[in-house]
Amino acid sequence: MKRRYYIFTICLLASFFCYSQQNEIQIKAVLDTTKETLKIQQEIIFYNTSDTVLNKIYLHNWVNSYRDRKTPLSKRLIKDFKKDLYFAKEKELGSSTIVSLSVNFETATFNELKEQPDIIEILLDKPLLPKKEVKIAATYIVKIPNARFTKYGKTKNGYHLRYWYLTPAIYKNGWQLMSNLNLDDLHEKNSNFKIEIDLPKEYVLESNLYQYKNHKETKKNYYLVGKNKTDIILSINKEAKLKSYKTDRINVYSDIIPNDLNKKISTSILNRELHFIEKYLGKYPHLEIYIDKVTQSKNPIYGLNQLPDFISPFSENFKWEITMFKALTKRYLENTILINKRKDYWIIDAIQNYLMIEYIETYYPEIKLLGKASKIWPLKTFNFSKLKFNDKYPFVYQFTARKFLDQALNTSADSLSNFNRKIISKYKAGLGFRFLKGYLGDSILNNTIKEFYQKNNLKITDSNQFQKLLASKTTKKLDWFFNDYIKTNKKIDHTITTVLSEKDSFAVTVKNKRNSTTPVAIYALKEDEIIHKKWVSNIDSTKVIKFKKDNYDTFVLNYENLYPELNTLNNWKKIDKKILNKPLKLSFLKDVSSPKYNQLFYQPNIDYNFYNGLILGLQIHNKPFIKRNFDFNIAPYYATKSNTVIGQFAVNYNQFFEKTKIYKTTYGLVGGTSDYAPNLSYKSLTPYVNVIFKRKSLRDATSEFLTAKLIHIDKEVAPNILKTERDNYSILSLSYNYSNPDIIKEFRYKISTEFAKNFSKAALDLRFRSLTSTDTQLDFRFFAGVFFNNNTTDDYFSFGLDRSNDYLFELNYLGRSESTGFFSQQFVITEGGFKSILPVRFANQFMASNNSSIGLWKWVEFYNDVAFLKNKNSPIYFAYENGIRFNFVHEIFEIYFPLYSNNGWEVAQERYPQKIRFSISSDVKSIYNFFRRGLF
């Protein structure tokens, strides 16, 4: 058996000779499952392939990124609202301890970079000249991290190892250094590998290298060999997980195994996929391709892989086929095109997503975005059920672009928001290639992609090479693509302003509504059938395009969605002039906007409060899935308990800014009527302006905004009661809000002022929440409010210690006027923030309070509050209390049990259950914002 191994190794090593100046890596490792370590001896033959004399060499040591909470990886995960690594136990952490390191058999001086402990700097005693080599030898111990942090490391049943060994950094126009940020994008040169690893005998090793194993009495000895390889992944388990599929071209090894397909059919599908990829790219240089489920799960097909099987609208066969196609194209490209995926990822994303689009159009052109669910009533009545699978690309891009949350494709991957990195940038890149295909012709684009792949196969390259190659194949200008489309987030938006009938032609005027000058596809249709199509360039303002008269009824821009646009609803123009270019259509709930109709949506609503009872009604609005700048909704309701008609309305206009520090300004008018007490209603009318400032970056979760609003309240009073200043009033409210929802140190504050006829006041609400090194939560809140003047005659507008009067009608009280009973126990943390009801409940001069709590166990906390209240003609009142807080979902669902306060021992007093307070929010926006943290 040893003889077979030696022959096998000698043949492979002999083939390495063909690759001059190729890095070589040899590793001997022993797995210790009791200590969760790999003891490694590694040799690296490093070639200086640059024209620069090198005095240093850098090694990527990504295992060390798991060693503590100060590494770039830990900080990155915190920004993504993942605290597992930050609070991990020592035994779960990973590290790499260098025992010795030498260069050309001489002990070398080395150190970790100060802010990047996962990068090693080696100082060379002798400069490394161009085209020369050095031999680096390292002995080190790898402590394997728990896989729950990034899915790589110690798993429940074994080990899934990626980025586990020392890798030389690439020198190209400077050192290409990068820390592990859970982006799976290590930039490494292809190398020749020879790995020998000893495992306990009960374990099986699977990898993306050729392998040979030798059984011994107490262990298994594996020999792994490969040439021109990168990214060596080891799967070590007590039983084999990979299945082998032998296709016409290569062997596919994967643990993504279909449920219902037999191996023959699975192999046939993989064979078709590989033939398709080879048609567009060229021959794969290796004999095998390795697709592991862990890595694939971090790059899923969104919308396809997220639904559980029992409600998935797609067959298991289709899901597996498309999942494997995406994984195949990713591995096919990343294993052979050696691009810096952190700085230049867009070219790989563009090719991969373009191939995805082409594959679907070739084999599944009629499949819908909703799959078989598109045929189910009532879904089949919606426009989104008519969307084809590939329509998701422009639709999802437009969803983000309309909010101006997309980013340029040359933005470094570590600066992209998670939503852009995982979805939007990939979609935009793929759509960009479809744009080029339509504009240049598929032969030019496809030939360029194939030539680019073949010329750069197993070479370090970049997107500039693709740009030069494409430019050499066409006389058409491409500046608009490689400058505006790739390097900016400028939006494309054209519209047809007029269609004039002339003697023998139609004159169609197209207007460019944005600052991006790109080609435009214009179509002449007859009953939705394409009769004629033109590509038009250089529309920087307006341009008239002539069409010879024919049997047309409509002109449309971008009819086939060949490129992403900010707004596609203004692309249609009928030849027959009508008062309404598009008829009105009522649609249920929400839907995708239809370019053929002006849509209004209606949806049933249900709500509840103590005075109106169950509230049933209908909301009419103009908000499709992708919102417009102008929106409105009208919601009439019937209240079953009060037997009255109530309702609300809102009109908003959003103005976005691209070149200022202001992100968005919203101008709005809201109003409504509801009951605030038994058989007593109120009416409100509020014009407002909301100015939202831009974040430093889309990776930054902070927010800040200014709000100005004028609230008009008119309250109904009981019979024989005269209206007073507290029943009909207007208040000008100005506020500034700042929020940093960091998962470790959350900080928020609000500064507000109010001006009314009989009073004016200001307040500061400051909140700080922190997690200690032992994952104990500390929660602090400080409130201070003062009246500048106060000529009111009661406490209706005063600061509330335990419950705000909510005279602006902004808080989500179920029974806002209740002083006894269950609904009076609802708690909203405003103003004083006290839970106990004390003898002095209001302050008409000033109030200062501090609310704090400390975690005891999971969601159980101990709270302690103190406050100072000042009323006219009264001394300062000192308030205090403490108790137990059940913080199930922060500020959404909480319960408070008072213990001790100015009242004495609360638990020993009568009717204690009535002293318990609860906080519950039905505000859908707050709940959504809580769970979407880290996504946008």
Side-chain angles (χ1 to χ4, degrees), residues 80 329 401 671 710 860 865 867 906 913:
D80 290 338
T329 54
L710 185 60
V860 181
D865 303 330
E906 304 264 7

Coordinates of all heavy atoms in Angstrom, one line a residue, residues 80 329 401 671 710 860 865 867 906 913:
D80 N -22.6 43.0 13.2 CA -23.7 42.2 12.6 C -24.7 41.7 13.6 O -25.5 40.9 13.3 CB -23.1 41.1 11.8 CG -22.4 41.5 10.6 OD1 -22.6 42.6 10.1 OD2 -21.5 40.7 10.1
T329 N -21.0 27.1 -10.1 CA -20.5 28.3 -10.7 C -19.5 29.0 -9.8 O -18.5 29.5 -10.2 CB -21.5 29.2 -11.3 OG1 -22.5 29.6 -10.2 CG2 -22.3 28.6 -12.4
A401 N -32.8 50.3 -4.3 CA -32.4 51.6 -5.0 C -33.4 52.7 -4.7 O -33.1 53.9 -4.6 CB -32.3 51.3 -6.5
G671 N -53.8 62.6 10.4 CA -55.0 62.9 11.2 C -55.8 61.7 11.5 O -55.6 60.7 10.9
L710 N -46.7 70.2 14.2 CA -47.7 71.1 14.8 C -49.0 70.2 15.1 O -49.7 69.9 14.1 CB -48.1 72.3 13.9 CG -49.0 73.3 14.5 CD1 -48.4 73.9 15.8 CD2 -49.3 74.4 13.5
V860 N -34.2 38.0 33.4 CA -34.6 38.5 34.7 C -33.6 39.6 35.1 O -32.4 39.3 35.2 CB -34.7 37.3 35.7 CG1 -35.1 37.9 37.1 CG2 -35.6 36.2 35.2
D865 N -34.9 52.8 40.6 CA -35.2 54.1 40.1 C -35.2 55.2 41.2 O -35.6 54.9 42.3 CB -36.6 54.2 39.4 CG -36.8 53.1 38.3 OD1 -35.7 52.8 37.7 OD2 -37.9 52.6 38.1
A867 N -35.8 59.7 41.5 CA -36.2 60.9 40.8 C -36.4 62.1 41.8 O -36.6 61.9 43.0 CB -37.6 60.6 40.1
E906 N -43.8 47.0 48.8 CA -45.0 46.9 47.9 C -45.6 45.4 48.0 O -46.8 45.2 48.0 CB -44.6 47.2 46.5 CG -44.0 48.6 46.3 CD -45.0 49.6 45.9 OE1 -46.2 49.3 45.9 OE2 -44.6 50.7 45.6
P913 N -51.3 42.3 43.0 CA -51.4 42.1 41.6 C -51.7 43.4 40.8 O -51.3 43.5 39.6 CB -52.5 41.1 41.5 CG -52.4 40.3 42.8 CD -52.1 41.3 43.8

